[in-house]
Amino acid sequence: MTVAASLDWRERAAGLFPGGVNSPVRAYQAVGGEPPLLVRGNGAFVWDEAGRRYIDYVGAFGPLLLGHGAVAEAIATAAALGGPFGVTSPGEVRLAEMIRMRMPSVERVRFVNSGTEAAMSALRVARAATGRDLIVKFEGGYHGHADSLLVAAGSGAATLSIPDSAGVTQSVAAQTLVATYNDLVSVEALLQAHPGQVAAVIVEPVAANMGVVAPLSGFLAGLRELSTRAGALLIFDEVITGFRVAPGGAQELYGVRPDLTVLGKIIGGGLPVGAYGGRAELMDLVAPSGPVYQAGTLSGHPVVMAAGEATLTQLTPDAYAKIEKESARLEAGLQVDGACVARVGSLLTLFFREQQPRNFREAKASDTRGFARFFHSMLDAGVVLPPSQFEAWFVSAGHDSSVIDATLEAARG
Ligand SMILES: *Cc1c(COP(=O)(O)O)cnc(C)c1O
């Protein structure tokens, strides 16, 4: 394809989609320039329409822990069988059992079509279970774009400097209280200021939408304790961390058991998916076994379930060990002036500041222009990074030692 042809695609997209994209984080607004027109991926690599190969650290923004194309066969096989059938199918049962085996707190689960839907529905369950209206979230925490969760919502909005979305009513926004990540005192203060009114505390157990910010020692256990004491549910949004930072997600890695868990991304193997689950008596509030209505025409789609099942099946202990080893090599080798690396497993951010941030305010005090320069030098060298200082790089099973070496070579300029 010629340069003119690729310009033509961009122009057509610009006329068709707001900002030329179907999700704002895909735009290169924060780093400048135009995204490459990518048409194919395999393992750690993606190719543009001119046949140029890049190393990919976007990983579809989280789902592709196995790399591109790893479950293509399972998808093709399932697609050939037709469906969905309008009844519960074996693929849903198999994937749910695999999830519960790895994440025992998820006693019952409901599949939906996006992480947004899953987080929104988990809040509905929490409000129904407690009879309370308020929720506590963290500044810079992203839980999808449901109205009540679009307050101080991290990367996408932060990149575009939209602190809170237009179109969210005051009355809805007022029911969302915002605490500071890694600051238990800020949580306790909100719970005390609103006694008996907070339905749930929702948190990314490893913050990954303000760049990667690990929980400080005792933070998650402290949230568990504060929530229980206040009669509020603790919801872990493991849409990114689930099945990535450990086979059983962040709740396994840090040994803290939430009441409800929000899932997505990896469990769909690159196809649209979400799920929420938790204690049986909470999930039994969901229709048709209980009064919380939540439904989805395409929920538990057999092709998506097959992609998720194939993904979890390939995520063996060996696969995790290899991903961890290569991620650690990437962390150790990335030495960039004025920047530091924050990493939890295969999630990594190169922050253009002296020290790893502990919360969103500190993350925002990064040299975003320095990041933009680095981003473009990497792109020129054939490495695609997420186009924002406030996103994680996603390492996959396809990133073998030669890929990591090539990345480090590119970073040395
Ligand atoms: C991506 C993400 C979501 C939203 O998932 P979608 O499938 O994009 O709706 C929710 N929570 C976290 C932590 C995420 O990273």
Side-chain angles (χ1 to χ4, degrees), residues 114-116 142-144 204 209 237 239-240 265:
S114 68
T116 293
Y142 182 64
H143 309 288
E204 291 179 72
N209 284 290
D237 181 343
V239 170
I240 281 186
K265 296 190 173 138

Side-chain angles (χ1 to χ4, degrees), residues 235-260:
I235 305 176
F236 275 6
D237 181 343
E238 295 229 39
V239 170
I240 281 186
T241 54
F243 314 100
R244 178 177 282 276
V245 298
Q251 51 197 274
E252 177 187 63
L253 185 63
Y254 297 103
V256 174
R257 193 180 174 108
D259 300 294
L260 292 170

Side-chain angles (χ1 to χ4, degrees), residues 286-355:
V286 178
S289 71
V292 176
Y293 197 72
Q294 183 276 307
T297 303
L298 294 175
S299 296
H301 193 293
V303 176
V304 179
M305 298 295 105
E309 191 184 343
T311 299
L312 293 190
T313 302
Q314 290 182 52
L315 284 171
T316 58
D318 276 0
Y320 281 108
K322 180 182 154 216
I323 295 167
E324 169 61 27
K325 179 168 149 242
E326 295 306 334
S327 302
R329 285 188 58 232
L330 177 59
E331 175 187 20
L334 261 186
Q335 315 243 346
V336 177
D337 277 348
C340 66
V341 179
R343 180 179 78 88
V344 177
S346 52
L347 297 169
L348 178 151
T349 296
L350 181 69
F351 279 107
F352 281 74
R353 66 197 305 280
E354 290 303 319
Q355 278 187 344

Side-chain angles (χ1 to χ4, degrees), residues 18 71 89 97 141 155-156 176 190 207-208 234 281 286 313 319 350 380 382 394 397:
V71 297
S89 61
E97 284 176 349
S155 58
T176 302
L190 290 174
L234 179 61
E281 82 267 21
V286 178
T313 302
L350 181 69
D380 291 345
F394 295 99

Side-chain angles (χ1 to χ4, degrees), residues 97-404:
E97 284 176 349
M98 294 175 91
I99 290 171
R100 186 172 61 180
M101 201 195 318
R102 288 161 178 76
M103 220 174 241
S105 77
V106 179
E107 295 169 358
R108 289 214 217 308
V109 65
R110 170 63 62 81
F111 287 114
V112 293
N113 302 295
S114 68
T116 293
E117 239 188 290
M120 175 187 84
S121 308
L123 288 191
R124 192 177 298 151
V125 169
R127 285 173 163 145
T130 57
R132 301 171 174 189
D133 288 345
L134 303 181
I135 60 154
V136 171
K137 75 178 285 293
F138 292 89
E139 189 187 12
Y142 182 64
H143 309 288
H145 62 86
D147 282 5
S148 57
L149 288 164
L150 263 192
V151 179
S155 58
T159 303
L160 301 174
S161 298
I162 305 172
D164 304 305
S165 174
V168 174
T169 60
Q170 284 270 314
S171 58
V172 168
Q175 303 198 320
T176 302
L177 311 174
V178 181
T180 302
Y181 193 75
N182 273 327
D183 180 356
L184 288 172
V185 174
S186 74
V187 179
E188 194 166 22
L190 290 174
L191 292 171
Q192 276 172 2
H194 304 274
Q197 295 177 67
V198 174
V201 175
I202 184 167
V203 65
E204 291 179 72
V206 175
N209 284 290
M210 47 176 110
V212 175
V213 179
L216 294 175
S217 168
F219 176 62
L220 297 174
L223 288 183
R224 175 68 280 177
E225 202 182 307
L226 288 174
S227 313
T228 303
R229 208 190 304 153
L233 301 185
L234 179 61
I235 305 176
F236 275 6
D237 181 343
E238 295 229 39
V239 170
I240 281 186
T241 54
F243 314 100
R244 178 177 282 276
V245 298
Q251 51 197 274
E252 177 187 63
L253 185 63
Y254 297 103
V256 174
R257 193 180 174 108
D259 300 294
L260 292 170
T261 298
V262 180
L263 296 168
K265 296 190 173 138
I266 285 172
I267 58 164
L271 299 184
V273 80
Y276 63 105
R279 279 167 34 214
E281 82 267 21
L282 295 174
M283 291 305 293
D284 284 345
L285 293 171
V286 178
S289 71
V292 176
Y293 197 72
Q294 183 276 307
T297 303
L298 294 175
S299 296
H301 193 293
V303 176
V304 179
M305 298 295 105
E309 191 184 343
T311 299
L312 293 190
T313 302
Q314 290 182 52
L315 284 171
T316 58
D318 276 0
Y320 281 108
K322 180 182 154 216
I323 295 167
E324 169 61 27
K325 179 168 149 242
E326 295 306 334
S327 302
R329 285 188 58 232
L330 177 59
E331 175 187 20
L334 261 186
Q335 315 243 346
V336 177
D337 277 348
C340 66
V341 179
R343 180 179 78 88
V344 177
S346 52
L347 297 169
L348 178 151
T349 296
L350 181 69
F351 279 107
F352 281 74
R353 66 197 305 280
E354 290 303 319
Q355 278 187 344
Q356 298 162 356
R358 290 163 299 183
N359 56 44
F360 189 47
R361 187 175 45 79
E362 292 183 1
K364 272 191 299 188
S366 299
D367 173 12
T368 52
R369 278 205 225 135
F371 172 80
R373 277 193 300 275
F374 178 77
F375 172 90
H376 277 292
S377 75
M378 292 296 273
L379 190 61
D380 291 345
V383 180
V384 193
L385 302 175
S388 165
Q389 171 70 97
F390 309 113
E391 300 281 358
W393 306 11
F394 295 99
V395 180
S396 81
H399 291 71
D400 61 17
S401 56
S402 66
V403 171
I404 299 298

